[in-house]
Amino acid sequence: MKTEQQYFEEGKTLTDYMEGMTTHKENSEKVYEGFKLPQDDEFISLLKEKQPHILVITEDWCGDAMMNNPILRHIVEAADIEARIAYRDADTELIDRWLTNGGRSIPVYLLLDKDGDVLAKWGPRAPQVQEYVMEQRESLPPKDAPDFEEKQKELFKNLYVEYTSNADYWLWVYEDIRRTFMGALQKQD
């Protein structure tokens, strides 16, 4: 069984992944260009000091990854740390260790220390975004309804518009990653 560190070592960088995306690339670029990293010397300084690295479990077809990965990219660039990709569908053994409510939800960000031990898990959504998504899903008809698929596609389309234009969502993602990772890094020593 491969370790998280081995997956990290085998992965491509987050930047290379984003540049090579075949689905949602333009939307991810829109988020990357639109998001401005908050002035946050404490978080970025702590990342620079502790020098963790991040294993990103993702796929480019995922709408949540489309929004979250560009935000993470800003963080790792500012802190000069590395994030590398493990594709969820290429090897489900990894994601099956990090299920969210029993599902293979992505993206998942694993904060690793210098030895490759997992310090924290983040993902797939900030709580406020999760609340919004769940509210929107309540409007869907039952799965066996004839118009379910059509309504679900419409819901996803609307979510993607929100994900690529609502700067509040981007800030919520940043703040939740910050809270999760800072808590883990501050416990280190």
Side-chain angles (χ1 to χ4, degrees):
M1 182 169 83
K2 283 199 292 193
T3 66
E4 284 76 3
Q5 181 64 27
Q6 288 170 314
Y7 281 103
F8 176 85
E9 290 167 1
E10 294 171 3
K12 65 169 62 175
T13 67
L14 179 57
T15 302
D16 288 346
Y17 159 82
M18 288 181 65
E19 288 172 1
M21 289 175 70
T22 57
T23 309
H24 293 308
K25 183 175 182 171
E26 286 181 19
N27 286 336
S28 267
E29 288 172 347
K30 186 175 179 181
V31 174
Y32 182 76
E33 291 165 11
F35 179 69
K36 301 299 175 230
L37 196 66
Q39 193 65 30
D40 192 352
D41 296 332
E42 182 185 12
F43 179 42
I44 299 305
S45 293
L46 187 60
L47 288 169
K48 284 180 176 182
E49 174 193 333
K50 300 287 188 177
Q51 284 295 295
H53 46 286
I54 301 164
L55 177 60
V56 177
I57 307 170
T58 194
E59 289 287 344
D60 73 355
W61 50 257
C62 175
D64 291 301
M66 170 192 74
M67 176 175 65
N68 299 339
N69 289 344
I71 295 164
L72 179 66
R73 182 174 165 188
H74 275 286
I75 294 167
V76 300
E77 288 173 348
D80 197 25
I81 61 173
E82 226 178 329
R84 293 198 186 169
I85 303 300
Y87 289 95
R88 183 195 81 167
D89 297 342
D91 183 351
T92 55
E93 182 182 308
L94 177 63
I95 191 64
D96 286 347
R97 293 182 217 163
W98 300 100
L99 300 176
T100 302
N101 299 322
R104 293 176 172 164
S105 302
I106 52 174
V108 168
Y109 302 155
L110 301 176
L111 184 70
L112 308 176
D113 67 12
K114 63 182 179 352
D115 298 320
D117 294 322
V118 178
L119 301 174
K121 172 198 176 210
W122 184 89
R125 295 185 183 118
Q128 303 93 321
V129 177
Q130 175 68 8
E131 187 177 316
Y132 173 74
V133 170
M134 296 313 290
E135 286 171 8
Q136 296 305 304
R137 284 185 181 224
E138 287 175 13
S139 68
L140 288 174
K143 283 187 178 183
D144 58 358
D147 62 343
F148 174 79
E149 215 169 281
E150 176 189 330
K151 296 289 186 188
Q152 186 178 42
K153 283 180 184 177
E154 189 178 310
L155 181 136
F156 288 155
K157 184 179 173 187
N158 292 337
L159 280 178
Y160 298 159
V161 168
E162 286 292 314
Y163 281 8
T164 58
S165 63
N166 192 329
D168 287 342
Y169 288 15
W170 306 341
L171 191 57
W172 293 337
V173 169
Y174 170 80
E175 289 171 347
D176 199 48
I177 292 170
R178 179 190 192 277
R179 180 190 56 76
T180 302
F181 286 2
M182 276 195 71
L185 291 169
Q186 288 170 334
K187 288 178 186 171
Q188 246 190 333
D189 282 330

